[in-house]
Amino acid sequence: MARTVSTALPELFAGIAEWSNVPENFNGAPSVQVSHIRDAPDLPNQEAHHVLDAAHWGFVAAWKESISERPQPFNARIESVSTNGMFREAFRRRRGIIPALGYYEWRVMGDGTKVPYFISAPTAIITRDALGHSAEIHDRMPVMLMPSAYDAWLGDTLSSAASAVSLLSDSSAVIAETIELRPVNKRVGNVRNNDPDLINPVEA
């Protein structure tokens, strides 16, 4: 959702002209390449700035010999991301932001059928206990960052891992109050479907 996302999150995309060349994506899934924003030094003066990059969605620990080795968790829990040996170093030194307008979650109805919902809020892929309307669908949700937290999260000014966790927790709690959700078409269950109609509301 490149152009749509950049319009909704102007503070994040300030000065990143390359984003206009990224294809829109309405159905991203683990194991694919995803665009993200990270900090990089501006040589030779070493001043950090935000850059666009791509990454494999599926965490590959530093000790893995190949990107094909398993397991490859596609999210991390905020309760343990700063202490878990698999994620600890990346959480300290290699943080990024994955821009999105929201995410999909499947709701189990009373008759046992599953209905996909689009939960509208900018997201990242560390999870926490669900808050707000998202708790009606699932017990976990992605953490979210307010624009005022972008630079602190991407930079190196946070004094500790605990400070980074607190930033995520506080920011996502505020954004959770604005979350909207709506049932969407079951076509979203097939990653080959990737078009704007996927996020349009349908009758539940």
PDB file of all heavy atoms in Angstrom, residues 2 15 17 58 172 200:
ATOM      1  N   ALA A   2       1.836   1.299  -0.893  1.00  0.00           N
ATOM      2  CA  ALA A   2       2.883   2.297  -0.810  1.00  0.00           C
ATOM      3  C   ALA A   2       2.362   3.729  -0.799  1.00  0.00           C
ATOM      4  O   ALA A   2       2.591   4.475   0.134  1.00  0.00           O
ATOM      5  CB  ALA A   2       3.858   2.097  -1.969  1.00  0.00           C
ATOM      6  N   GLY A  15      11.510  12.868   3.294  1.00  0.00           N
ATOM      7  CA  GLY A  15      12.855  12.737   2.739  1.00  0.00           C
ATOM      8  C   GLY A  15      13.172  11.388   2.137  1.00  0.00           C
ATOM      9  O   GLY A  15      14.309  11.131   1.735  1.00  0.00           O
ATOM     10  N   ALA A  17      12.382   9.559  -0.915  1.00  0.00           N
ATOM     11  CA  ALA A  17      11.763   9.621  -2.241  1.00  0.00           C
ATOM     12  C   ALA A  17      11.578   8.234  -2.847  1.00  0.00           C
ATOM     13  O   ALA A  17      10.670   8.023  -3.658  1.00  0.00           O
ATOM     14  CB  ALA A  17      12.617  10.483  -3.165  1.00  0.00           C
ATOM     15  N   GLY A  58      10.579 -13.015   8.397  1.00  0.00           N
ATOM     16  CA  GLY A  58      10.878 -14.269   9.068  1.00  0.00           C
ATOM     17  C   GLY A  58      12.257 -14.096   9.679  1.00  0.00           C
ATOM     18  O   GLY A  58      13.246 -13.926   8.972  1.00  0.00           O
ATOM     19  N   SER A 172       1.860   2.201  21.739  1.00  0.00           N
ATOM     20  CA  SER A 172       0.805   1.348  21.196  1.00  0.00           C
ATOM     21  C   SER A 172      -0.469   1.430  22.024  1.00  0.00           C
ATOM     22  O   SER A 172      -1.573   1.288  21.496  1.00  0.00           O
ATOM     23  CB  SER A 172       1.277  -0.102  21.090  1.00  0.00           C
ATOM     24  OG  SER A 172       1.696  -0.614  22.330  1.00  0.00           O
ATOM     25  N   ASN A 200     -11.751  -3.566   1.689  1.00  0.00           N
ATOM     26  CA  ASN A 200     -13.092  -2.992   1.689  1.00  0.00           C
ATOM     27  C   ASN A 200     -14.011  -3.805   2.594  1.00  0.00           C
ATOM     28  O   ASN A 200     -13.928  -5.036   2.634  1.00  0.00           O
ATOM     29  CB  ASN A 200     -13.667  -2.953   0.277  1.00  0.00           C
ATOM     30  CG  ASN A 200     -12.983  -1.910  -0.592  1.00  0.00           C
ATOM     31  OD1 ASN A 200     -12.410  -0.945  -0.082  1.00  0.00           O
ATOM     32  ND2 ASN A 200     -13.012  -2.105  -1.897  1.00  0.00           N
TER      33      ASN A 200
END
